[in-house]
């Protein structure tokens, strides 16, 4: 394996043109591949995975690998028809995996996870629908249409986490959806500039009209009063998703509470970072510093330890 992740290199090794001529990797090789991908591509993965039960780490790594491949097939290739064709290929490989036929290392590693946790194909398929949608839709007329996108792009991830912790039911899934939608929205507001460079606007067009922010303003990357008011409005209503989703935490097994809360608090911290920059996400993309990440980790863990020691919320 190469020292760093590169989608085009991986397509040459494991893409549709070469996969048929290669022997399928063993389960151990496939899991090693997914572990390498997860820890190479995502800088925070090792921090979050440290708080996962050891038995779940390979399963989380393979689900991350599935999502990473799908995301990069959409965004790290030439896009358009090529991306759509590759995403269709990835969908076929997923369905073959459910039928018991696996060739790609991600699906060789994924198959035992699907069987152990009885995960249906729908969450994986909805994620692919979101990546396809990104190739076909680059503007959202209103907030309702943006939420529909989040149902495909973000909410399946939380549902997959519930399956891994043997905690999936309708009530928990609805609350997990609140957290995941909040995380997706926070990412949109954080990445206005990056998305614009890809030709995408996730800020609802009805809100752009309401606050008087035009496409020409996007083109100029203009952070004016209209933009600040609009982003402040988005940040405030995004907080509601985290507030509602927080009700999920006491409904989870204790071993799931720290990693889930870390994601929730991280999303809230992104909103605070946007506010600290006075909503100017054009000049500088708001991120969490290493110090802030350590603070969040310490705060979440100490609070969990206190709750456990005092008997509050034990499960």
């Amino acid at each position: 394996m190469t020292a760093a992740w590169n989608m085009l290199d991986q397509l040459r090794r494991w893409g549709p043109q070469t996969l048929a001529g290669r022997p399928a990797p063993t389960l151990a090789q496939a899991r090693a591949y997914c572990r390498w991908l997860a820890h190479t591509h995502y800088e925070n993965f090792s921090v979050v995975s440290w708080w996962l039960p050891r038995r779940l780490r390979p399963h989380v790594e393979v689900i991350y690998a599935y999502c990473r491949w799908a995301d990069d097939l959409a965004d790290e290739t030439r896009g358009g028809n090529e991306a759509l064709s590759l995403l269709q290929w990835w969908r076929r490989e997923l369905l073959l995996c459910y039928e018991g036929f696996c060739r790609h290392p991600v699906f060789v590693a994924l198959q035992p996870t699907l069987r152990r946790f009885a995960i249906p194909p729908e969450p994986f398929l909805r994620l692919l629908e979101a990546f396809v949608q990104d190739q076909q839709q680059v503007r959202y007329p209103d907030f309702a249409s943006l939420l529909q996108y989040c149902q495909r792009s973000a909410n399946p991830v939380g549902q997959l986490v519930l399956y891994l912790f043997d905690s999936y039911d309708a009530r928990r899934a609805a609350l997990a959806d609140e957290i995941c939608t909040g995380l997706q929205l926070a990412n949109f507001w954080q990445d206005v500039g990056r998305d614009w460079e890809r030709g995408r606007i996730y800020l609802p067009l009805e809100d752009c009209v309401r606050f008087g922010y035009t496409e020409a303003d996007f083109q100029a990357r203009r952070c004016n009063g209209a933009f600040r008011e609009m982003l402040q409005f988005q940040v405030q209503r995004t907080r509601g998703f985290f507030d509602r989703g927080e009700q999920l935490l006491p409904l989870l097994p204790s071993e799931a509470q720290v990693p889930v809360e870390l994601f929730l608090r991280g999303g809230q911290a992104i909103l605070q970072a946007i506010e600290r920059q006075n909503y100017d996400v054009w000049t500088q993309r708001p991120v969490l510093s290493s110090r802030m990440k350590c603070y969040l980790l310490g705060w979440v863990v100490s609070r969990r330890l206190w709750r456990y020691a005092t008997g509050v919320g034990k499960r």
Side-chain angles (χ1 to χ4, degrees):
M1 282 181 281
T2 56
W5 169 263
N6 180 283
M7 182 77 262
L8 298 181
D9 287 343
Q10 293 305 306
L11 276 173
R12 284 189 284 269
R13 299 189 68 221
W14 296 107
Q17 304 304 319
T18 57
L19 198 60
R22 298 193 61 172
T26 66
L27 178 58
Q29 290 169 333
R31 283 182 167 170
Y33 176 87
C34 293
R35 185 178 310 114
W36 164 78
L37 192 165
H39 291 271
T40 299
H41 202 293
Y42 183 31
E43 64 178 0
N44 295 325
F45 192 91
S46 59
V47 175
V48 175
S49 65
W50 196 85
W51 294 97
L52 292 169
R54 186 176 296 274
R55 71 181 189 283
L56 291 184
R57 292 177 194 174
H59 303 292
V60 173
E61 288 165 351
V62 68
I63 288 176
Y64 178 80
Y66 170 89
C67 297
R68 186 73 271 152
W69 257 84
D71 194 0
D72 284 0
L73 287 175
D75 280 346
E76 301 300 327
T77 57
R78 286 180 289 188
N81 289 334
E82 179 183 1
L84 291 172
S85 176
L86 288 168
L87 288 168
Q88 184 61 29
W89 161 69
W90 197 243
R91 184 180 189 276
R92 288 195 301 270
E93 293 297 319
L94 171 69
L95 296 179
L96 286 172
C97 178
Y98 272 93
E99 294 174 6
F101 182 66
C102 304
R103 302 175 296 180
H104 193 284
V106 170
F107 292 107
V108 171
L110 182 61
Q111 192 174 63
T113 299
L114 303 179
R115 291 172 175 170
R116 159 63 183 84
F117 298 98
I119 304 175
E122 284 75 19
F124 296 104
L125 290 171
R126 286 202 303 277
L127 285 167
L128 287 182
E129 290 171 4
F131 297 131
V132 169
Q133 187 171 338
D134 275 334
Q135 304 303 310
Q136 300 171 331
Q137 182 174 356
V138 295
R139 303 287 189 276
Y140 288 83
D142 49 37
F143 193 61
S145 63
L146 191 63
L147 292 183
Q148 290 174 355
Y149 173 76
C150 292
Q151 290 174 5
R152 302 182 183 97
S153 68
N155 297 359
V157 176
Q159 295 166 19
L160 290 170
V161 170
L162 292 177
Y163 277 110
L164 292 182
F165 282 100
D166 294 310
S167 298
Y168 184 91
D169 60 29
R171 182 186 180 193
R172 292 187 183 99
L175 293 172
D177 288 351
E178 296 281 353
I179 295 174
C180 291
T181 293
L183 288 168
Q184 179 70 93
L185 293 174
N187 182 248
F188 286 152
W189 318 147
Q190 175 189 35
D191 280 344
V192 170
R194 285 186 175 184
D195 290 330
W196 171 253
E197 291 169 2
R198 292 176 172 173
R200 299 171 186 165
I201 296 176
Y202 290 104
L203 285 159
L205 297 185
E206 66 175 5
D207 293 331
C208 294
V209 172
R210 173 186 170 189
F211 288 94
Y213 197 78
T214 67
E215 186 108 356
D217 291 322
F218 278 100
Q219 185 69 44
R221 303 173 67 92
R222 189 172 289 126
C223 184
N224 54 17
F227 182 81
R228 286 190 168 95
E229 289 179 14
M230 177 169 58
L231 206 58
Q232 181 182 33
F233 173 73
Q234 307 299 346
V235 165
Q236 289 303 324
R237 69 175 169 186
T238 300
R239 280 205 169 91
F241 290 91
F242 292 127
D243 292 342
R244 292 186 294 272
E246 192 168 350
Q247 300 173 58
L248 174 65
L249 298 175
L251 302 179
L252 294 173
S254 58
E255 61 187 5
Q257 291 178 7
V258 167
V260 171
E261 187 170 2
L262 281 173
F263 280 111
L264 186 152
R265 303 304 176 198
Q268 292 173 322
I270 287 294
L271 299 181
Q272 293 169 353
I274 294 172
E275 289 175 326
R276 284 195 298 273
Q277 293 184 195
N278 196 21
Y279 306 99
D280 183 3
V281 297
W282 286 113
T283 304
Q284 181 179 353
R285 179 178 182 264
V287 296
L288 302 185
S289 66
S290 298
R291 178 178 297 181
M292 175 56 70
K293 291 176 183 178
C294 290
Y295 169 80
L296 287 174
L297 178 61
W299 186 81
V300 169
V301 171
S302 62
R303 199 170 77 119
R304 289 288 150 192
L305 290 174
W306 178 84
R307 288 172 65 86
Y308 185 82
T310 58
V312 178
K314 283 188 180 180
R315 289 180 58 83

